[in-house]
Amino acid sequence: MHTQLVFEVDFCTKNEKGDFNTIHSEVILSEGVASCQLIANEIAQTLKVDNIKIFIGDFFE
């Protein structure tokens, strides 16, 4: 059995000031950061937004 980790993922766009606006957030359960990134990339494609940035962080309650 593999250990599952919980990640909080924000999908953002860059505004004119250089800051980022979060357009979507997800909690992703995966085996590690690499597999979380793959899942996040799939989600990003469904958002149909150009130049989306993905920020992955550990999930803490």
Side-chain angles (χ1 to χ4, degrees):
M1 183 170 188
H2 297 281
T3 301
Q4 296 287 303
L5 303 171
V6 181
F7 296 95
E8 185 175 22
V9 181
D10 291 325
F11 299 84
C12 304
T13 57
K14 200 170 190 178
N15 67 21
E16 295 168 1
K17 293 181 182 179
D19 297 328
F20 290 95
N21 296 323
T22 300
I23 59 168
H24 185 73
S25 294
E26 288 278 343
V27 174
I28 297 176
L29 185 66
S30 68
E31 293 180 8
V33 175
S35 60
C36 179
Q37 181 70 48
L38 292 173
I39 296 166
N41 287 338
E42 290 177 14
I43 294 168
Q45 289 177 344
T46 67
L47 297 175
K48 300 183 194 275
V49 175
D50 292 333
N51 300 318
I52 196 164
K53 303 294 181 201
I54 300 171
F55 295 95
I56 299 174
D58 294 333
F59 183 77
F60 298 101
E61 290 189 41

